[in-house]
Amino acid sequence: MKRVFAHIGFSAGLTLLVLCLADIKYVLPITAGLAAVFAAGLVLPKYRQAVTVPLCFGSALFACFLILYYYNVYVVPVQSLAHTTADAIFYLTELPHFDGEKYSCTAKVLAVAADGAAQQFKARVSSTVPFAADSYVMMRGKLTFSTLGDSAFSSYGYWGQNVFVSAKLTDAVSLGEVCHPF
């Protein structure tokens, strides 16, 4: 049983890579399949004696549980705002980019005026007019939220930056207060 941690790290890392590229709806069936194979590896004497088999499937199962936990704790509450419009207080965290028809940038949303809404999260905000304030100056506006994708791959890398929703901005006004994120 040499290189135990190499087996654990490789199987967990490979599982995390596959799950990040897969759509989230496939994670639960993959987890159930890995749980069945892990249980079979523990029950069957031939595979139980070869400790590597249950160890690899157990670490892959642990990686599945990590993805499910992260998704349900961090992504689901923010994505529950999809298809809603609400007043919000936010500030821009980068310089806006103009692509020819709209301005867009990442913003930190501090408060959303909706019952049970997630608070303090990042969003990709876009507007057809220039933003009412510079970076790190708080603004109040009406945001219409939508999801950025169902996986890290389909979100074009925004999930890696903890950005799970996009928002269209209307009726923005600068509050004049500078927010210091550090």
Side-chain angles (χ1 to χ4, degrees):
M1 171 122 152
K2 290 183 175 180
R3 301 178 186 94
V4 174
F5 293 110
H7 291 293
I8 293 171
F10 182 76
S11 57
L14 184 64
T15 304
L16 287 172
L17 177 68
V18 168
L19 293 179
C20 283
L21 295 177
D23 199 344
I24 196 67
K25 64 184 174 184
Y26 299 119
V27 174
L28 199 56
I30 290 171
T31 304
L34 281 173
V37 173
F38 176 65
L42 290 177
V43 172
L44 299 174
K46 178 181 176 183
Y47 296 115
R48 187 175 55 231
Q49 290 173 352
V51 177
T52 304
V53 174
L55 186 70
C56 287
F57 285 116
S59 60
L61 184 62
F62 179 71
C64 288
F65 287 139
L66 284 178
I67 289 284
L68 287 172
Y69 173 79
Y70 180 80
Y71 181 75
N72 287 312
V73 169
Y74 295 106
V75 178
V76 170
V78 174
Q79 285 191 345
S80 67
L81 287 169
H83 310 295
T84 61
T85 301
D87 287 325
I89 297 174
F90 61 96
Y91 61 89
L92 306 178
T93 60
E94 62 186 18
L95 294 174
H97 172 72
F98 184 67
D99 64 1
E101 62 183 55
K102 67 180 179 187
Y103 295 88
S104 61
C105 67
T106 303
K108 175 78 176 202
V109 178
L110 299 174
V112 178
D115 291 335
Q119 306 294 322
Q120 296 196 5
F121 58 90
K122 289 183 183 178
R124 190 75 184 160
V125 178
S126 63
S127 175
T128 56
V129 296
F131 291 103
D134 290 331
S135 297
Y136 297 103
V137 176
M138 295 185 45
M139 290 190 281
R140 179 187 310 265
K142 192 171 287 289
L143 296 176
T144 303
F145 296 98
S146 61
T147 62
L148 273 175
D150 291 334
S151 68
F153 188 72
S154 66
S155 73
Y156 299 104
Y158 285 115
W159 276 29
Q161 301 170 8
N162 292 330
V163 178
F164 307 118
V165 293
S166 63
K168 291 182 182 174
L169 174 65
T170 55
D171 302 330
V173 63
S174 174
L175 299 177
E177 181 181 339
V178 177
C179 183
H180 298 285
F182 304 109

